[in-house]
Amino acid sequence: MIFSTWPALLVVDVEGNGTNPPDLVEVAALPVRDGRPDKTTARAWLTRPERPVTSFATRVHGLSNDDLADQPAWSDIADQVHTFMGAAWICAHNAHTDYRVLSAHLPGWAPAGVLDTLRLAKATFPDLGKYSLDALIEYVKPDLGEAPAQRHRATFDAFATAQLLIAMASRYETWDQLVAAAVPPGLPGAPEPEKDPTLW
């Protein structure tokens, strides 16, 4: 894989307040350049949700209502997030979720494509059995020494996902092969299905 051929790509992760549909409490966006995560240009935002964070959500990501009380409302940072994301490709683990939540919070946002490390892992390691982020971290053993915060925070999970993406991408020869393995049908960037050949 020649990583310099990749288009602009952000590995993203979101954390919510535990409601359905969720309000965002944290968004991380980590560029991948030349086959490595670029922490120098990464961005992360904490935001005060409209509805209180549930106790279950706090147990997962560790962010409480007190932690977020002085953070800006989503309406105050949405333009910043939208501008930073631009039209770049995004990657996330179980990307349907992050793409759906971000799309609901960023009207008009249209990424060039969406890579899913969950889908990619199933194609790359078909006999693994478990494909959670924790299972992949245990199996691939990426270097997480520079990961910020801790597991289940958006910044940590984006960094871990980036390292997993890079490790798995090295098993593919081209960007197009990676896209074919990693973009779920129906999401931006998905290859067009081949048409059945006919005699006419």
Side-chain angles (χ1 to χ4, degrees), residues 102-124:
L102 285 169
S103 295
H105 285 78
L106 296 171
W109 171 62
V114 179
L115 299 178
D116 182 5
T117 49
L118 174 61
R119 181 179 177 84
L120 179 61
K122 290 180 178 180
T124 309

Side-chain angles (χ1 to χ4, degrees), residues 81-165:
V81 179
H82 198 163
T83 298
F84 187 81
M85 304 276 272
W89 279 75
I90 67 164
C91 174
H93 194 68
N94 195 15
H96 282 95
T97 299
D98 298 80
Y99 174 69
R100 183 181 69 248
V101 172
L102 285 169
S103 295
H105 285 78
L106 296 171
W109 171 62
V114 179
L115 299 178
D116 182 5
T117 49
L118 174 61
R119 181 179 177 84
L120 179 61
K122 290 180 178 180
T124 309
F125 310 123
D127 299 322
L128 188 57
K130 294 182 179 179
Y131 297 96
S132 67
L133 197 60
D134 287 324
L136 289 171
I137 289 171
E138 182 178 351
Y139 182 74
V140 177
K141 293 180 170 48
D143 182 1
L144 301 180
E146 294 184 9
Q150 68 277 345
R151 177 74 174 93
H152 295 298
R153 286 291 301 272
T155 49
F156 183 102
D157 289 2
F159 187 90
T161 300
Q163 293 289 60
L164 291 169
L165 170 66

Side-chain angles (χ1 to χ4, degrees), residues 42-108:
R43 292 291 307 272
W45 299 265
L46 291 173
T47 178
R48 183 182 69 253
E50 292 185 6
R51 295 167 290 179
V53 180
T54 66
S55 58
F56 174 79
T58 296
R59 287 195 298 273
V60 172
H61 51 56
L63 294 168
S64 68
N65 291 297
D66 287 344
D67 294 329
L68 300 168
D70 295 328
Q71 298 298 327
W74 178 252
S75 59
D76 295 327
I77 63 170
D79 287 347
Q80 296 176 33
V81 179
H82 198 163
T83 298
F84 187 81
M85 304 276 272
W89 279 75
I90 67 164
C91 174
H93 194 68
N94 195 15
H96 282 95
T97 299
D98 298 80
Y99 174 69
R100 183 181 69 248
V101 172
L102 285 169
S103 295
H105 285 78
L106 296 171

